[in-house]
Amino acid sequence: MAGTDGRRRTGGDGASGGLTSAEREELKAVRKEVREQQQTIEILKESDGLLREGERPVSELYRLIHAEKATYPIVLLCRVLEVAPRCPRDA
């Protein structure tokens, strides 16, 4: 059966241009990685220089984590800001 663009569609076995299950899994993984990289960039922009060399005010890092935890996963925030993941929840 032809799609709207005139190309033949398949059930996903990869025979005529569809994605195999392995390709779908790879695409899913790549999309997740891209999403995490985009979030990392946004976090770094919002950190407002907290990661510059020199003194790192831990209280400011925790304040940022607390403020952004509704937007980003805490684990990602902690990894980007180089803070132990359990600390913000315990504090």
Side-chain angles (χ1 to χ4, degrees):
M1 173 153 93
T4 57
D5 62 359
R7 290 189 281 177
R8 188 156 177 80
R9 300 285 183 229
T10 66
D13 61 1
S16 297
L19 295 176
T20 65
S21 59
E23 290 170 331
R24 281 192 299 274
E25 287 300 314
E26 181 180 5
L27 181 59
K28 183 179 174 181
V30 168
R31 285 180 174 165
K32 179 181 178 185
E33 183 179 337
V34 167
R35 186 173 47 253
E36 284 185 4
Q37 289 174 347
Q38 289 171 334
Q39 289 177 333
T40 297
I41 291 168
E42 292 169 14
I43 292 167
L44 290 171
K45 286 179 181 178
E46 292 173 17
S47 71
D48 198 30
L50 289 175
L51 299 178
R52 292 186 186 138
E53 276 191 51
E55 189 175 320
R56 292 175 34 144
V58 176
S59 61
E60 291 297 319
L61 292 172
Y62 290 148
R63 225 184 313 271
L64 176 63
I65 290 169
H66 182 71
E68 297 298 329
K69 69 182 178 184
T71 307
Y72 307 106
I74 289 179
V75 172
L76 180 62
L77 285 163
C78 292
R79 184 174 57 223
V80 171
L81 299 173
E82 299 177 347
V83 175
R86 60 182 172 74
C87 293
R89 289 180 268 195
D90 296 341

